[in-house]
Structure formats: structure tokens, C-alpha cells
Amino acid sequence: QDVSQSTALAVTFYVIHSFRMSLFFLIAGFFARLLFHRRGARGFLKDRAKRILVPFTAGWLLLAPPTIAAVIWGLTRTFPEAAANGDPSALAPQGFPLVHLWFLYYLAIFYVLAIVLQSGMAALDKGERIRTRVDRWVGGAVVTWLAPLVLAAPTAAVLYFKSDWAVWFGIPTPDTGLMPQLPALVAYGTAFALGWVLHRRVDRLDTIARQWLVNLGLGVALTATCLWIAGSTPSLAAATVIQGGATMRLIYAAAYVLSIWTWTFGLLGAALRFFSEESAIRRYFSDASYWFYLVHPPIVFGLQVLLMQVPLHWSIKFPVILAVT
């Protein structure tokens, strides 16, 4: 809890946090199928082991200890009374700490499920009648604007019935424990599956590109609705504190998950519309972003804790943290 807090940064976090992982898993699913059909099952698994499992294992050994230490340090400084009465590590989330590498763990799960389902589908659907129907549905849903509604329904239902859902932080981050968590499985599994199937209907990318502005407009409107309900201040309180009871809780869950998909389609469409041409600069940042993301959390967390009680305005501290990182 920094001495200089910012509503602007909180809202920025709220918006980015809502769609970033769903968009990531959609793209991951799209290129997973591309890779699978280019290299076959054995080549696919070998490549994913190199690109996902090795960074996950090595990254955890190198990055988990300083990341966990920075979190405990921050909690100790935020709650000094609790830390003084016992082990500071008790303040940290309990369970096996996947830290920020949880997304690689879930990617591995989705890759295995995709291979199993692909093999089963190939054995059962030799005439490709089922896959043809799925292709037809995906194409029709994108054209008729039904896709966000259908995709949002399962995740919205899971979140609505999750009694300890901290609504302000959206889909609970599954960064502790090896047992897969239902909200993440449903939300990100849906995105991964859509990406996989969308690779079968690459012609529909043109439709998504044409719809980018409307989708972004809907995303902004839905996010504004969610912030109006939940407030602009981060809160770890469970969903039961939402005024309006079960009805408002349902409206929030539906609006939040719909905003995920409209932001996802809007940003994907904008990228297809304006950034499809080759660019050496974008390629560099694209290649660098994965490794930068793996390494940056302990540095960012440590700097945040180091500066949290320094009496400087957030507009100074925030750029300094980014620049030093």
C-alpha cells in the first residue's frame, strides 16, 4: 500500500487485467494448432517442452524465491502489526507458489488436453462432420455478433456462483496450488479452444478486423458499467458486498465477462486492421516480451516495496519503477 495512491493507475490496471490473459490464451490456442499441423504431434510436444516446460522449470527455480521474498517483504511493511506477532511468511498466499509462471502451467494443461481431444476427434470424426459443424458455428457466431455472448456465458456462471469471488480483480489468478482452479480452467480454456478452432476459420479474421471499433466501444461501455458497480478503488472484498444483492451480482458477472470478450475481439481486430504488415521493431518487442515478462516481477515488486513509503507522488515513482526495471 503505497503512500501515494492513484485512481488513474487503479482503473488502468482494472481494464488491462480484465482482458490480457484471455487475449493471450486465444492467441496461444491459434498458434498451437498452426504448430500442431505444421510439425505433427511429436514435433509439437517437443517444441512446447522447449518453449514452455523448460522456462517454467528453470524460471521457477530462479525467479520464485526472489518473487516470494518481495511479496512477503511488501506484506510485512504493509501489515507490520501482523508481522510482529508471528512468521511474516504466514501473510503470503498459501499453497504451492506458481507465482507469475502459472500461465505456463495452464498452457501445458491445455496443450495436453488439445492433443488428447484432437486425437479422439480424428478417430471418431473421420468424415469431419462434427468439425465442419463447429467451423460453421464459429463462422456464423463471429458474423452475427453472438460469439461474445456465447463465450462469456460459462465463465460468468462460474464467477457468479463463486462465493468468495473478489469481484474487483476479475478472474481469480491461479498462482497458488497445483490443483487446476475452475474459474481459470473455464475462462482461459474457452479462450484457448476458440483460438484453436479459429485457426480452422482464418477467413473470419477479416470479419473480426472489420468489427474492431464497435467491439472496443462495447468494451469501454461494459467496463464503465462494471466500475460503476464495483467502484474505482481496488478491494479484496468478496462479491457479497455489492449493493443490490444477487441481481446486481449477476449483472456485474455478465458485464465483466462480456467486457473481456469485446476487448479481446476489439484489440485483436485493431491489430489485424492496422498492424498486419511486417515490422522489425514489432517483431523484436514480440520476441522479447515473453522473456521480459518471465524476469520482471521480482524486480517490479522489490522496487514497489522499496519506494512504497517514500514521500514522492505516484506520477514520479511509477515511471521510475518502469524505467529501472
Side-chain angles (χ1 to χ4, degrees):
Q1 300 225 345
D2 200 285
V3 294
S4 176
Q5 299 183 8
S6 166
T7 300
L9 288 183
V11 171
T12 301
F13 166 84
Y14 183 92
V15 175
I16 295 174
H17 183 68
S18 68
F19 64 75
R20 66 190 178 98
M21 296 313 302
S22 294
L23 179 55
F24 168 83
F25 278 105
L26 186 152
I27 295 171
F30 184 92
F31 286 105
R33 186 180 184 276
L34 182 151
L35 186 66
F36 176 82
H37 283 272
R38 183 174 291 176
R39 300 191 181 181
R42 180 172 296 182
F44 173 83
L45 292 174
K46 182 179 179 180
D47 178 272
R48 295 297 82 187
K50 179 181 177 182
R51 288 276 295 180
I52 303 300
L53 292 183
V54 171
F56 173 67
T57 305
W60 192 90
L61 292 172
L62 293 171
L63 299 171
T67 302
I68 295 168
V71 170
I72 294 175
W73 183 28
L75 290 170
T76 302
R77 297 194 73 187
T78 302
F79 306 104
E81 297 84 3
N85 294 330
D87 181 5
S89 62
L91 293 168
Q94 302 302 301
F96 183 84
L98 292 169
V99 293
H100 64 293
L101 302 175
W102 66 266
F103 77 102
L104 297 178
Y105 182 69
Y106 278 76
L107 264 183
I109 293 173
F110 295 149
Y111 288 144
V112 172
L113 289 175
I115 295 298
V116 171
L117 291 173
Q118 176 74 18
S119 300
M121 188 64 70
L124 294 173
D125 190 30
K126 296 192 180 293
E128 292 206 4
R129 286 180 295 180
I130 298 176
R131 281 169 283 188
T132 299
R133 291 178 181 176
V134 172
D135 291 344
R136 190 180 301 120
W137 177 87
V138 171
V142 171
V143 172
T144 59
W145 300 84
L146 288 174
L149 290 170
V150 176
L151 293 165
T155 304
V158 169
L159 294 178
Y160 174 76
F161 289 108
K162 184 174 173 56
S163 59
D164 60 346
W165 179 34
V167 300
W168 205 91
F169 290 90
I171 299 169
T173 302
D175 53 2
T176 57
L178 294 175
M179 179 65 69
Q181 298 179 24
L182 185 62
L185 278 180
V186 173
Y188 303 136
T190 300
F192 184 91
L194 176 65
W196 184 281
V197 175
L198 195 58
H199 184 258
R200 292 178 57 90
R201 292 302 308 266
V202 291
D203 57 302
R204 284 301 180 236
L205 293 178
D206 290 339
T207 303
I208 293 174
R210 290 194 300 270
Q211 296 173 347
W212 72 272
L213 185 58
V214 175
N215 276 315
L216 282 185
L218 290 171
V220 171
L222 288 164
T223 296
T225 300
C226 292
L227 285 168
W228 175 73
I229 296 173
S232 60
T233 303
S235 173
L236 288 171
T240 50
V241 302
I242 290 183
Q243 294 184 357
T247 300
M248 193 59 72
R249 179 189 176 99
L250 179 61
I251 292 173
Y252 181 88
Y256 188 89
V257 184
L258 272 174
S259 76
I260 292 175
W261 284 108
T262 49
W263 275 109
T264 295
F265 281 120
L267 290 168
L268 183 62
L272 290 165
R273 172 68 176 81
F274 298 107
F275 302 112
S276 285
E277 73 280 0
E278 185 176 350
S279 167
I281 295 176
R282 285 200 297 274
R283 166 61 64 184
Y284 173 82
F285 281 112
S286 176
D287 290 343
S289 63
Y290 178 34
W291 310 104
F292 189 90
Y293 182 78
L294 295 183
V295 172
H296 86 278
I299 305 172
V300 170
F301 292 175
L303 290 172
Q304 286 177 319
V305 179
L306 188 66
L307 297 178
M308 63 186 289
Q309 295 177 5
V310 175
L312 291 173
H313 195 263
W314 66 265
S315 62
I316 299 174
K317 287 198 275 189
F318 183 68
V320 165
I321 290 172
L322 295 184
V324 173
T325 302

